[in-house]
Coordinates of all heavy atoms in Angstrom, one line a residue:
N26 N 22.0 -29.9 3.4 CA 22.2 -28.8 2.3 C 22.7 -27.5 2.9 O 23.6 -26.9 2.5 CB 20.8 -28.5 1.7 CG 20.3 -29.6 0.8 OD1 19.0 -29.8 0.7 ND2 21.2 -30.4 0.2
I27 N 22.1 -27.2 4.2 CA 22.6 -25.9 4.8 C 24.0 -26.0 5.3 O 24.8 -25.1 5.2 CB 21.6 -25.5 5.9 CG1 20.2 -25.2 5.3 CG2 22.0 -24.3 6.7 CD1 19.1 -25.0 6.3
K28 N 24.4 -27.2 5.8 CA 25.7 -27.4 6.3 C 26.7 -27.3 5.1 O 27.7 -26.6 5.3 CB 25.9 -28.8 6.8 CG 27.2 -29.1 7.5 CD 27.3 -30.4 8.2 CE 28.7 -30.7 8.7 NZ 28.8 -32.0 9.4
S29 N 26.4 -27.8 4.0 CA 27.2 -27.7 2.8 C 27.3 -26.2 2.3 O 28.4 -25.7 2.0 CB 26.7 -28.5 1.6 OG 26.8 -29.9 2.0
L30 N 26.2 -25.5 2.5 CA 26.2 -24.1 2.1 C 27.1 -23.3 3.0 O 27.8 -22.4 2.5 CB 24.7 -23.6 2.0 CG 24.5 -22.2 1.7 CD1 24.9 -21.9 0.2 CD2 23.0 -21.8 1.8
T31 N 26.9 -23.5 4.3 CA 27.7 -22.7 5.3 C 29.2 -23.0 5.0 O 30.0 -22.0 5.3 CB 27.3 -23.0 6.7 OG1 27.4 -24.5 7.0 CG2 25.8 -22.6 7.0
N32 N 29.5 -24.1 4.7 CA 31.0 -24.4 4.4 C 31.5 -23.6 3.2 O 32.7 -23.4 3.2 CB 31.2 -25.9 4.2 CG 31.0 -26.7 5.4 OD1 31.2 -26.2 6.5 ND2 30.7 -28.0 5.3
A33 N 30.7 -23.2 2.3 CA 31.1 -22.5 1.1 C 31.0 -21.0 1.4 O 31.5 -20.2 0.6 CB 30.2 -22.8 0.0
C34 N 30.4 -20.5 2.5 CA 30.2 -19.1 2.8 C 31.5 -18.5 3.5 O 32.4 -19.2 4.0 CB 29.0 -18.9 3.7 SG 27.4 -19.2 2.9
S35 N 31.5 -17.2 3.5 CA 32.5 -16.5 4.2 C 31.8 -15.5 5.2 O 30.7 -15.3 5.1 CB 33.4 -15.7 3.3 OG 32.6 -14.8 2.5
P36 N 32.6 -15.0 6.2 CA 32.0 -14.2 7.2 C 31.4 -12.9 6.5 O 32.0 -12.3 5.6 CB 33.1 -13.8 8.1 CG 34.1 -14.9 8.0 CD 34.0 -15.4 6.6
A37 N 30.2 -12.5 7.0 CA 29.5 -11.4 6.4 C 30.1 -10.0 6.9 O 30.2 -9.9 8.1 CB 28.0 -11.4 6.7
T38 N 30.3 -9.1 6.0 CA 30.7 -7.8 6.4 C 29.6 -6.8 6.3 O 28.4 -7.2 5.9 CB 31.9 -7.3 5.4 OG1 31.5 -7.4 4.0 CG2 33.1 -8.2 5.5
F39 N 29.9 -5.6 6.5 CA 28.8 -4.6 6.4 C 29.5 -3.2 6.1 O 30.7 -3.1 6.3 CB 27.9 -4.5 7.6 CG 28.6 -4.2 8.9 CD1 28.7 -2.9 9.3 CD2 29.2 -5.2 9.6 CE1 29.5 -2.6 10.5 CE2 29.9 -4.9 10.8 CZ 30.1 -3.6 11.3
G40 N 28.7 -2.3 5.6 CA 29.2 -0.9 5.3 C 29.4 0.0 6.5 O 28.4 0.1 7.2
R41 N 30.5 0.7 6.6 CA 30.5 1.6 7.7 C 31.5 2.8 7.2 O 32.7 2.4 7.0 CB 31.0 1.0 9.0 CG 31.2 2.0 10.1 CD 32.1 1.4 11.2 NE 31.3 0.4 12.0 CZ 31.8 -0.4 12.9 NH1 33.2 -0.4 13.0 NH2 31.1 -1.3 13.5
G42 N 31.0 3.9 7.1 CA 31.9 5.0 6.7 C 32.5 4.9 5.4 O 33.6 5.3 5.1
G43 N 31.7 4.3 4.4 CA 32.3 4.1 3.1 C 33.2 2.9 3.0 O 33.8 2.7 1.9
E44 N 33.4 2.1 4.0 CA 34.3 1.0 4.0 C 33.5 -0.3 4.2 O 32.5 -0.3 4.9 CB 35.4 1.1 5.0 CG 36.3 2.3 4.7 CD 37.4 2.4 5.8 OE1 37.4 1.6 6.7 OE2 38.4 3.3 5.6
D45 N 34.1 -1.4 3.8 CA 33.5 -2.8 4.1 C 34.2 -3.3 5.3 O 35.4 -3.5 5.3 CB 33.7 -3.7 2.9 CG 32.7 -4.7 2.7 OD1 31.6 -4.6 3.2 OD2 33.0 -5.8 2.1
V46 N 33.4 -3.4 6.4 CA 33.9 -3.8 7.6 C 33.5 -5.2 8.1 O 32.4 -5.5 8.0 CB 33.4 -2.8 8.7 CG1 34.0 -3.1 10.1 CG2 33.9 -1.3 8.3
L47 N 34.5 -5.9 8.7 CA 34.2 -7.2 9.4 C 34.4 -7.0 10.9 O 35.5 -6.8 11.4 CB 35.2 -8.3 8.9 CG 35.0 -9.6 9.5 CD1 33.7 -10.2 9.3 CD2 36.2 -10.6 9.1
D48 N 33.2 -7.0 11.6 CA 33.3 -6.8 13.0 C 32.3 -7.8 13.7 O 31.1 -7.5 13.7 CB 32.8 -5.3 13.3 CG 32.9 -5.0 14.8 OD1 33.0 -6.0 15.6 OD2 32.6 -3.8 15.1
P49 N 32.7 -8.9 14.2 CA 31.8 -10.0 14.8 C 31.1 -9.5 16.0 O 30.1 -10.1 16.3 CB 32.9 -11.1 15.2 CG 34.1 -10.8 14.4 CD 34.1 -9.4 14.2
S50 N 31.5 -8.4 16.6 CA 30.7 -7.9 17.7 C 29.5 -7.1 17.3 O 28.6 -6.9 18.1 CB 31.6 -6.9 18.6 OG 31.9 -5.8 17.9
Y51 N 29.5 -6.8 16.0 CA 28.3 -6.1 15.5 C 27.5 -6.9 14.6 O 26.3 -6.7 14.5 CB 28.8 -4.8 14.7 CG 27.7 -3.7 14.6 CD1 27.6 -2.8 15.6 CD2 26.9 -3.6 13.5 CE1 26.7 -1.8 15.5 CE2 26.0 -2.6 13.4 CZ 25.9 -1.7 14.4 OH 24.8 -0.8 14.4
R52 N 28.1 -7.8 13.8 CA 27.4 -8.7 12.9 C 28.1 -10.1 13.0 O 29.3 -10.2 12.7 CB 27.3 -8.2 11.5 CG 26.5 -9.0 10.6 CD 26.5 -8.6 9.1 NE 25.5 -9.3 8.4 CZ 25.3 -9.2 7.1 NH1 26.1 -8.4 6.4 NH2 24.4 -9.8 6.4
Q53 N 27.3 -11.1 13.2 CA 27.8 -12.5 13.1 C 26.8 -13.2 12.1 O 25.7 -13.4 12.4 CB 27.8 -13.2 14.4 CG 28.9 -12.8 15.4 CD 29.0 -13.7 16.5 OE1 28.6 -14.9 16.5 NE2 29.6 -13.2 17.6
A54 N 27.4 -13.4 10.9 CA 26.5 -14.1 9.9 C 27.5 -14.6 8.8 O 28.7 -14.2 8.8 CB 25.5 -13.2 9.3
L55 N 27.0 -15.3 7.9 CA 27.7 -15.8 6.8 C 27.1 -15.3 5.5 O 25.9 -15.1 5.4 CB 27.8 -17.3 6.8 CG 28.5 -18.0 7.9 CD1 28.4 -19.5 7.9 CD2 30.0 -17.7 8.0
K56 N 27.9 -15.2 4.4 CA 27.3 -14.7 3.2 C 28.0 -15.3 1.9 O 29.2 -15.7 2.0 CB 27.4 -13.2 3.2 CG 28.8 -12.6 3.4 CD 29.5 -12.3 2.0 CE 30.8 -11.5 2.2 NZ 31.5 -11.2 1.0
L57 N 27.3 -15.2 0.8 CA 27.9 -15.5 -0.5 C 27.5 -14.3 -1.4 O 26.3 -13.9 -1.5 CB 27.3 -16.8 -1.0 CG 27.9 -18.1 -0.7 CD1 27.1 -19.2 -1.3 CD2 29.3 -18.2 -1.0
D58 N 28.5 -13.7 -2.0 CA 28.2 -12.6 -2.9 C 27.5 -13.2 -4.2 O 27.8 -14.3 -4.5 CB 29.5 -11.8 -3.2 CG 30.0 -11.1 -2.1 OD1 29.2 -10.5 -1.3 OD2 31.2 -11.0 -1.9
K59 N 26.8 -12.4 -4.9 CA 26.1 -12.9 -6.0 C 27.0 -13.5 -7.1 O 26.6 -14.4 -7.9 CB 25.2 -11.8 -6.7 CG 25.9 -10.7 -7.2 CD 25.0 -9.6 -7.8 CE 25.7 -8.4 -8.4 NZ 24.8 -7.5 -9.0
S60 N 28.2 -13.1 -7.2 CA 29.2 -13.5 -8.1 C 29.7 -14.9 -7.8 O 30.3 -15.6 -8.6 CB 30.4 -12.6 -8.3 OG 31.0 -12.4 -7.0
N61 N 29.4 -15.4 -6.6 CA 29.9 -16.7 -6.1 C 28.9 -17.8 -6.0 O 29.2 -18.9 -5.4 CB 30.6 -16.5 -4.8 CG 31.8 -15.6 -4.8 OD1 32.5 -15.5 -5.9 ND2 32.1 -14.8 -3.8
F62 N 27.7 -17.6 -6.5 CA 26.7 -18.7 -6.4 C 25.7 -18.5 -7.5 O 25.5 -17.4 -8.0 CB 26.0 -18.7 -5.1 CG 25.1 -17.7 -4.8 CD1 23.7 -17.9 -5.0 CD2 25.4 -16.4 -4.3 CE1 22.8 -16.9 -4.7 CE2 24.5 -15.4 -4.1 CZ 23.2 -15.6 -4.3
A63 N 25.0 -19.6 -7.8 CA 23.8 -19.6 -8.7 C 22.7 -20.2 -8.0 O 22.9 -21.1 -7.2 CB 24.2 -20.3 -10.0
T64 N 21.5 -19.7 -8.2 CA 20.3 -20.3 -7.5 C 19.2 -20.6 -8.5 O 19.1 -19.9 -9.5 CB 19.8 -19.2 -6.5 OG1 18.6 -19.7 -6.0 CG2 19.5 -17.9 -7.1
N65 N 18.4 -21.6 -8.2 CA 17.3 -22.0 -9.0 C 16.0 -21.2 -8.7 O 15.0 -21.4 -9.2 CB 17.0 -23.5 -9.0 CG 16.9 -24.0 -7.6 OD1 16.8 -23.2 -6.6 ND2 16.9 -25.3 -7.4
F66 N 16.1 -20.3 -7.6 CA 15.0 -19.4 -7.3 C 15.1 -18.2 -8.1 O 16.1 -17.4 -8.1 CB 15.1 -19.1 -5.8 CG 14.0 -18.1 -5.4 CD1 12.8 -18.6 -5.1 CD2 14.2 -16.7 -5.3 CE1 11.8 -17.8 -4.6 CE2 13.2 -15.9 -5.0 CZ 11.9 -16.4 -4.6
E67 N 14.1 -18.0 -9.0 CA 14.1 -16.8 -9.8 C 12.9 -15.9 -9.4 O 11.7 -16.3 -9.4 CB 13.8 -17.3 -11.2 CG 15.1 -18.0 -11.9 CD 16.2 -17.0 -12.1 OE1 16.0 -15.8 -12.2 OE2 17.3 -17.6 -12.4
L68 N 13.3 -14.7 -9.0 CA 12.3 -13.7 -8.5 C 11.2 -13.4 -9.6 O 10.0 -13.3 -9.3 CB 12.9 -12.4 -8.0 CG 12.0 -11.4 -7.4 CD1 11.3 -12.0 -6.1 CD2 12.8 -10.1 -7.1
K69 N 11.7 -13.4 -10.8 CA 10.8 -13.1 -12.0 C 9.7 -14.1 -12.1 O 8.6 -13.9 -12.7 CB 11.6 -13.0 -13.2 CG 12.3 -14.2 -13.7 CD 13.0 -13.9 -15.0 CE 13.8 -15.2 -15.5 NZ 14.6 -14.9 -16.7
Q70 N 9.8 -15.4 -11.6 CA 8.8 -16.4 -11.6 C 7.6 -15.9 -10.8 O 6.5 -16.4 -11.0 CB 9.3 -17.7 -11.1 CG 10.4 -18.4 -11.9 CD 10.9 -19.6 -11.2 OE1 10.6 -20.0 -10.1 NE2 11.6 -20.4 -12.0
Y71 N 7.9 -15.1 -9.8 CA 6.8 -14.6 -8.9 C 6.5 -13.1 -9.2 O 5.9 -12.4 -8.4 CB 7.2 -14.7 -7.5 CG 7.6 -16.2 -7.2 CD1 8.9 -16.6 -7.3 CD2 6.6 -17.1 -6.8 CE1 9.2 -17.9 -6.9 CE2 6.9 -18.3 -6.5 CZ 8.2 -18.7 -6.6 OH 8.6 -20.1 -6.4
S72 N 6.8 -12.7 -10.4 CA 6.6 -11.2 -10.8 C 6.0 -11.1 -12.2 O 6.3 -10.2 -13.0 CB 8.0 -10.5 -10.8 OG 8.5 -10.4 -9.5
N73 N 5.1 -12.1 -12.5 CA 4.3 -11.9 -13.7 C 2.9 -12.6 -13.4 O 2.7 -13.3 -12.5 CB 5.0 -12.6 -14.9 CG 5.1 -14.1 -14.8 OD1 4.1 -14.8 -14.8 ND2 6.3 -14.6 -14.6
S74 N 2.0 -12.1 -14.2 CA 0.6 -12.5 -13.9 C 0.3 -13.9 -14.0 O -0.7 -14.4 -13.5 CB -0.3 -11.7 -14.8 OG 0.0 -11.9 -16.2
N75 N 1.1 -14.7 -14.7 CA 0.9 -16.1 -14.8 C 0.9 -16.9 -13.5 O 0.4 -17.9 -13.4 CB 1.9 -16.7 -15.8 CG 1.7 -16.1 -17.2 OD1 0.6 -15.8 -17.6 ND2 2.8 -16.1 -18.0
T76 N 1.6 -16.4 -12.5 CA 1.8 -17.1 -11.3 C 0.6 -16.8 -10.3 O 0.5 -17.4 -9.3 CB 3.1 -16.7 -10.6 OG1 3.0 -15.3 -10.2 CG2 4.3 -17.0 -11.5
G77 N -0.2 -15.8 -10.7 CA -1.3 -15.4 -9.7 C -0.9 -14.4 -8.7 O -1.7 -13.9 -8.0
F78 N 0.4 -14.0 -8.6 CA 0.8 -13.0 -7.7 C 2.1 -12.4 -8.2 O 2.9 -13.0 -8.8 CB 1.1 -13.6 -6.3 CG 1.5 -12.6 -5.3 CD1 0.5 -11.8 -4.7 CD2 2.8 -12.5 -4.9 CE1 0.9 -10.8 -3.7 CE2 3.2 -11.5 -3.9 CZ 2.2 -10.7 -3.3
N79 N 2.2 -11.1 -8.0 CA 3.3 -10.3 -8.5 C 4.0 -9.5 -7.4 O 3.5 -8.6 -6.9 CB 2.9 -9.3 -9.6 CG 4.0 -8.5 -10.3 OD1 5.0 -8.2 -9.7 ND2 3.9 -8.5 -11.6

Side-chain angles (χ1 to χ4, degrees):
N26 292 148
I27 296 176
K28 183 176 180 180
S29 297
L30 182 61
T31 56
N32 289 336
C34 289
S35 59
T38 56
F39 60 94
R41 178 193 288 165
E44 298 181 352
D45 208 25
V46 177
L47 177 62
D48 182 353
S50 69
Y51 203 87
R52 184 184 192 185
Q53 285 188 25
L55 298 172
K56 57 97 174 182
L57 277 176
D58 293 323
K59 63 180 181 179
S60 59
N61 294 328
F62 74 97
T64 174
N65 54 10
F66 179 84
E67 292 288 345
L68 185 62
K69 64 183 179 182
Q70 294 176 350
Y71 305 93
S72 297
N73 64 70
S74 57
N75 294 330
T76 65
F78 184 75
N79 188 317

